[in-house]
Amino acid sequence: MPQPYSLNTYSLQPKYLQPLQMSIQAIHIRKTFGNYTALEDVSLEVPDGKLVSLLGPSGSGKTTLLRILAGLDFADPGSNGKVLFHGEDVTATQAGKRGVGFVFQHYALFKHMTVADNIAFGLRSMKRSERPDKAAIHARVNELLQLVQLDGLQKRYPSELSGGQRQRVALARALAVNPKVLLLDEPFGALDAKVRKDLRRWLRTFQEEIKVTTIFVTHDQEEALELADEVVVMNNAKIEQKGPPQQVYDRPVSPFVIEFLGNVNRFTAGVSGKAGDKPKDVLYVRPHDVELEPEGSETHEYSLKAKVQHIFSAGNYGRVRLERVGTHEPFEAEVPRERLRELELAPGKVVSVVFRHVRLFPKGEFLEADIKDGKLAV
């Protein structure tokens, strides 16, 4: 029986996997399809050995950028866009000569080939003068199977594997030719939630071991924040923000970023007449920064009254859906289950709501603040 994959990556010094120093630069990339602009003056730099996630909704340009980095597509002629691999201009270089490993969402395995033959395919397709001999290919395949924790499954066919196992075979096949960079296009999108969560943790540990420069496309915010050394948020053919995951989450530069990166409450009217008074001002509060108190406790300018609509209390934290009294704005709070019992919450009950931390976008500018002694502390 095959061993289930775990978060403890098989530890070895791969004989054949010797990643080169390889940084990636995309400079002023523009790409159009007819009248549709997929990328508009996009520049990106990925340091050597790092895992960077391109995060954004469908149509934001992330997959188009990945394909241009891979050499599967090219920037518009005359746009002066460039792609550099460790300082070398590969803008006009075809995909097969860039040394890129590419993993797709739907595995793209050959159904009529065994696991071993799928992994060895790229090696056997090399020019005769560059191709390893049979013994070297066999050794390389076995080493990769150990690396992706599928040792013993060499003779199985894709139809005999789980979705997570197939995706690891696809990853091993991409690594077989010792790529300079690894490009992953939503590789876990076709998997169920449990397998996807386990695999992304495994990938993080795996990438830290092999140190190959990796770019990962996803529309899953949690996936990007958990996996990446740097998150690049894309929207409407441009990069909206880039930086370390915690920085992007804590210091969003626009309403789009804060709304895209996880659940957030949005208030368009003022709170106690002090915050967000102007029509263009929008106050954002994460559910975990919302505190509930008994009615009548709204003692400072960043508090309000709300009516409980629904309570979902599975897990350590309960999610409480509320409606603001007066404006009827819906919002959510995350409350420890013990606190839920103390408050004796029930649908229809009115409570006081206090914000611990808010983000304000007055006239398009960003302001982050904690609430201290009932005042906005910037």
Side-chain angles (χ1 to χ4, degrees):
M1 293 290 291
Q3 295 297 312
Y5 56 83
S6 69
L7 301 185
N8 299 319
T9 305
Y10 187 92
S11 181
L12 76 168
Q13 294 296 323
K15 178 180 178 182
Y16 297 105
L17 288 174
Q18 299 175 359
L20 305 172
Q21 279 195 331
M22 191 54 57
S23 60
I24 303 171
Q25 285 179 285
I27 304 172
H28 299 305
I29 302 296
R30 174 179 170 79
K31 180 64 179 178
T32 57
F33 298 95
N35 294 325
Y36 174 71
T37 300
L39 294 171
E40 181 62 67
D41 194 27
V42 169
S43 294
L44 173 68
E45 183 168 354
V46 180
D48 168 50
K50 298 299 183 182
L51 192 157
V52 171
S53 176
L54 303 182
L55 173 66
S58 297
S60 60
K62 55 190 187 297
T63 293
T64 300
L65 179 57
L66 197 76
R67 288 178 60 84
I68 289 174
L69 294 174
L72 298 173
D73 217 331
F74 298 89
D76 287 352
S79 64
N80 296 319
K82 291 184 179 181
V83 176
L84 306 178
F85 281 7
H86 214 61
E88 179 185 353
D89 191 341
V90 297
T91 307
T93 305
Q94 296 294 325
K97 297 181 179 180
R98 289 195 185 186
V100 168
F102 208 106
V103 180
F104 300 91
Q105 177 177 343
H106 294 288
Y107 325 125
L109 299 179
F110 297 111
K111 297 179 181 179
H112 65 285
M113 291 184 181
T114 64
V115 166
D117 287 340
N118 263 286
I119 295 173
F121 178 79
L123 296 169
R124 291 171 178 162
S125 301
M126 296 172 70
K127 294 179 181 179
R128 184 178 296 273
S129 60
E130 300 174 359
R131 187 188 311 157
D133 61 31
K134 288 184 179 180
I137 291 176
H138 180 74
R140 198 167 197 167
V141 167
N142 287 338
E143 186 177 37
L144 283 163
L145 282 166
Q146 291 179 340
L147 193 66
V148 300
Q149 300 177 340
L150 292 177
D151 193 24
L153 302 186
Q154 287 91 329
K155 296 182 180 181
R156 291 203 181 185
Y157 289 88
S159 61
E160 300 174 298
L161 303 177
S162 69
Q165 289 172 333
R166 291 178 201 168
Q167 198 56 284
R168 282 183 288 147
V169 172
L171 182 59
R173 185 177 64 180
L175 290 168
V177 294
N178 200 20
K180 297 176 181 177
V181 299
L182 186 61
L183 305 179
L184 311 176
D185 190 8
E186 304 219 32
F188 308 143
L191 304 175
D192 64 58
K194 174 65 168 61
V195 175
R196 188 166 63 241
K197 192 167 187 176
D198 287 345
L199 264 185
R200 71 185 185 219
R201 290 175 178 172
W202 173 84
L203 178 63
R204 176 69 262 188
T205 306
F206 175 86
Q207 198 276 338
E208 287 175 351
E209 175 134 352
I210 64 173
K211 300 295 184 184
V212 63
T213 305
T214 303
I215 301 180
F216 183 102
V217 162
T218 183
H219 64 269
D220 186 310
Q221 302 92 329
E222 184 179 345
E223 197 162 82
L225 294 171
E226 183 176 337
L227 267 176
D229 296 304
E230 182 171 85
V231 175
V232 178
V233 183
M234 299 190 68
N235 183 38
N236 291 331
K238 294 183 178 181
I239 292 176
E240 192 95 3
Q241 185 174 356
K242 53 190 173 184
Q246 198 65 51
Q247 176 184 314
V248 173
Y249 185 82
D250 289 340
R251 299 287 299 172
V253 299
S254 68
F256 171 81
V257 175
I258 193 171
E259 291 186 18
F260 194 74
L261 288 181
N263 195 13
V264 68
N265 298 307
R266 183 177 188 270
F267 296 94
T268 55
V271 179
S272 295
K274 297 294 183 181
D277 300 359
K278 300 174 185 178
K280 291 184 179 179
D281 291 354
V282 180
L283 187 72
Y284 290 91
V285 186
R286 298 283 185 196
H288 58 257
D289 286 323
V290 177
E291 286 186 353
L292 303 185
E293 301 288 348
E295 184 181 9
S297 302
E298 51 281 358
T299 56
H300 65 66
E301 58 193 51
Y302 281 87
S303 57
L304 53 85
K305 286 186 179 181
K307 182 183 290 186
V308 175
Q309 299 294 313
H310 180 74
I311 302 168
F312 179 76
S313 59
N316 294 328
Y317 283 80
R319 290 202 312 271
V320 184
R321 190 167 66 241
L322 305 108
E323 183 180 271
R324 184 178 176 185
V325 173
T327 67
H328 304 292
E329 288 179 298
F331 64 100
E332 283 190 355
E334 289 182 4
V335 183
R337 292 185 68 182
E338 182 178 344
R339 184 58 176 161
L340 287 178
R341 289 192 292 269
E342 292 174 355
L343 292 171
E344 299 181 337
L345 297 182
K349 186 172 184 177
V350 175
V351 294
S352 291
V353 179
V354 177
F355 301 147
R356 288 194 299 265
H357 190 87
V358 300
R359 295 162 178 86
L360 183 66
F361 287 90
K363 297 181 181 179
E365 297 175 359
F366 172 70
L367 174 65
E368 180 182 22
D370 291 309
I371 307 301
K372 296 180 179 178
D373 300 324
K375 303 293 184 180
L376 190 66
V378 180

